[in-house]
Amino acid sequence: QVNLMESGGGSVQAGESLRLSCRYSGYISSVYCLAWFRQTPGQDREGVAALRLRTSSSETTLYTDTVKGRFTISQDAAWSTLYLQMNNLQPNDTGVYTCAAGRNPYCRAWDSAMETFGEGTQVTVSS
């Protein structure tokens, strides 16, 4: 079992930045993919960014098109915290952001195959 806990959400103005954190623990040796999702009321949960673990590939990060160049997913060297650095935030970035863990190698089908989700943290961006 993997435990996930997000923090770092808040309310900002358009153009500002936030960094989300997700502390993870438990049976992490079985996890091959970590990701961030977001959801707004009435909308399906959307995959935002994913991080491939335990891979020799030089391409370890994946992003949905709407955040490329603005968001960066990373983890700390101790493999205990996942981050999402969000720059130049826009009102349509508003939502509940949730981190997720999955056993899917190379983050295959990461937008649908993740198995464990945290509770989420609210991000609100006003214009």
Side-chain angles (χ1 to χ4, degrees), residues 1-3 24-31 54 103:
Q1 180 180 352
V2 176
N3 302 305
Y24 55 87
S25 61
Y27 194 47
I28 201 66
S29 60
S30 66
V31 174
R54 312 178 208 291
R103 293 176 292 175

Side-chain angles (χ1 to χ4, degrees), residues 63 65 67-72 87:
Y63 298 95
D65 286 345
V67 307
K68 284 180 181 177
R70 299 188 299 123
F71 290 12
T72 303
N87 297 329

Side-chain angles (χ1 to χ4, degrees), residues 4 6-7 27 32 37 39 44 46 70 108 111:
L4 305 166
E6 304 90 344
S7 62
Y27 194 47
Y32 284 81
F37 288 75
Q39 188 168 23
D44 291 336
E46 173 192 26
R70 299 188 299 123
R108 289 190 185 118
D111 55 348

Side-chain angles (χ1 to χ4, degrees), residues 1-119:
Q1 180 180 352
V2 176
N3 302 305
L4 305 166
M5 181 173 293
E6 304 90 344
S7 62
S11 297
V12 297
Q13 299 288 318
E16 294 183 342
S17 299
L18 277 175
R19 188 177 79 158
L20 305 182
S21 300
C22 173
R23 293 274 298 180
Y24 55 87
S25 61
Y27 194 47
I28 201 66
S29 60
S30 66
V31 174
Y32 284 81
C33 184
L34 294 170
W36 286 98
F37 288 75
R38 66 186 176 195
Q39 188 168 23
T40 54
Q43 301 292 321
D44 291 336
R45 184 162 52 197
E46 173 192 26
V48 175
L51 181 67
R52 293 170 168 147
L53 306 180
R54 312 178 208 291
T55 176
S56 58
S57 171
S58 60
E59 296 186 23
T60 58
T61 58
L62 300 164
Y63 298 95
T64 192
D65 286 345
T66 56
V67 307
K68 284 180 181 177
R70 299 188 299 123
F71 290 12
T72 303
I73 188 171
S74 64
Q75 67 174 9
D76 67 339
W79 279 50
S80 64
T81 307
L82 180 71
Y83 300 105
L84 185 67
Q85 176 67 43
M86 306 185 294
N87 297 329
N88 190 22
L89 283 160
Q90 300 300 315
N92 59 4
D93 293 318
T94 294
V96 176
Y97 283 70
T98 305
C99 62
R103 293 176 292 175
N104 39 327
Y106 309 111
C107 288
R108 289 190 185 118
W110 65 278
D111 55 348
S112 61
M114 306 303 281
E115 297 168 290
T116 304
F117 291 83
E119 294 293 320

